[in-house]
Short mmCIF file of all heavy atoms in Angstrom, two decimals:
data_model
loop_
_atom_site.label_atom_id
_atom_site.label_comp_id
_atom_site.label_asym_id
_atom_site.label_seq_id
_atom_site.Cartn_x
_atom_site.Cartn_y
_atom_site.Cartn_z
N VAL A 55 3.11 -22.36 14.79
CA VAL A 55 2.92 -21.26 13.84
C VAL A 55 3.77 -21.51 12.58
O VAL A 55 4.96 -21.76 12.65
CB VAL A 55 3.35 -19.91 14.45
CG1 VAL A 55 3.15 -18.77 13.47
CG2 VAL A 55 2.60 -19.64 15.75
N THR A 62 10.82 -11.83 -1.39
CA THR A 62 10.73 -10.44 -1.87
C THR A 62 9.56 -9.68 -1.32
O THR A 62 9.45 -8.47 -1.48
CB THR A 62 10.61 -10.44 -3.41
OG1 THR A 62 9.57 -11.37 -3.79
CG2 THR A 62 11.90 -10.82 -4.08
N CYS A 63 8.63 -10.37 -0.66
CA CYS A 63 7.37 -9.71 -0.28
C CYS A 63 7.51 -8.89 0.97
O CYS A 63 7.83 -9.40 2.05
CB CYS A 63 6.31 -10.80 -0.12
SG CYS A 63 5.14 -10.51 1.15
N PRO A 64 7.32 -7.56 0.87
CA PRO A 64 7.53 -6.67 2.01
C PRO A 64 6.63 -7.01 3.21
O PRO A 64 7.08 -6.94 4.35
CB PRO A 64 7.16 -5.29 1.46
CG PRO A 64 7.33 -5.41 -0.03
CD PRO A 64 6.96 -6.83 -0.37
N ILE A 67 8.07 -9.89 5.17
CA ILE A 67 9.19 -9.46 6.01
C ILE A 67 8.66 -8.81 7.29
O ILE A 67 9.11 -9.09 8.39
CB ILE A 67 10.11 -8.49 5.22
CG1 ILE A 67 10.73 -9.23 4.03
CG2 ILE A 67 11.19 -7.89 6.12
CD1 ILE A 67 11.40 -8.34 3.01
N THR A 69 5.68 -9.19 8.65
CA THR A 69 4.98 -10.15 9.49
C THR A 69 5.97 -10.95 10.31
O THR A 69 5.80 -11.16 11.51
CB THR A 69 4.12 -11.09 8.62
OG1 THR A 69 3.27 -10.28 7.78
CG2 THR A 69 3.25 -12.00 9.48
N ALA A 92 3.61 -24.20 -2.16
CA ALA A 92 2.73 -23.16 -2.74
C ALA A 92 1.32 -23.72 -2.88
O ALA A 92 0.33 -23.05 -2.57
CB ALA A 92 3.28 -22.69 -4.08
N LYS A 98 -5.04 -24.36 1.53
CA LYS A 98 -5.46 -23.94 2.88
C LYS A 98 -6.19 -22.61 2.88
O LYS A 98 -7.16 -22.41 3.61
CB LYS A 98 -4.23 -23.80 3.79
CG LYS A 98 -3.73 -25.11 4.35
CD LYS A 98 -2.62 -24.80 5.35
CE LYS A 98 -1.98 -26.07 5.87
NZ LYS A 98 -0.83 -25.77 6.73
N GLN A 101 -6.55 -18.91 -1.82
CA GLN A 101 -6.09 -17.73 -2.58
C GLN A 101 -4.56 -17.82 -2.73
O GLN A 101 -3.92 -18.70 -2.16
CB GLN A 101 -6.54 -16.45 -1.90
CG GLN A 101 -6.08 -16.28 -0.47
CD GLN A 101 -4.74 -15.63 -0.41
OE1 GLN A 101 -4.54 -14.54 -0.92
NE2 GLN A 101 -3.77 -16.29 0.24
N PHE A 117 -0.82 -9.37 6.54
CA PHE A 117 -0.28 -8.94 7.83
C PHE A 117 -1.41 -8.28 8.63
O PHE A 117 -1.49 -7.08 8.78
CB PHE A 117 0.87 -7.94 7.59
CG PHE A 117 1.54 -7.45 8.87
CD1 PHE A 117 1.65 -8.25 9.98
CD2 PHE A 117 2.09 -6.18 8.91
CE1 PHE A 117 2.25 -7.80 11.13
CE2 PHE A 117 2.71 -5.71 10.06
CZ PHE A 117 2.79 -6.51 11.18
N ASP A 118 -2.32 -9.13 9.10
CA ASP A 118 -3.49 -8.68 9.86
C ASP A 118 -3.15 -8.73 11.34
O ASP A 118 -3.41 -9.72 12.02
CB ASP A 118 -4.69 -9.59 9.52
CG ASP A 118 -6.00 -9.05 10.10
OD1 ASP A 118 -5.94 -8.29 11.06
OD2 ASP A 118 -7.06 -9.42 9.54
N ALA A 125 -5.09 -14.63 17.63
CA ALA A 125 -4.85 -16.07 17.46
C ALA A 125 -3.72 -16.56 18.35
O ALA A 125 -3.72 -17.69 18.83
CB ALA A 125 -4.53 -16.35 15.99
#
Side-chain angles (χ1 to χ4, degrees):
Chain A
V55 181
T62 48
C63 144
I67 296 168
T69 307
K98 279 186 185 174
Q101 58 88 56
F117 182 33
D118 188 337

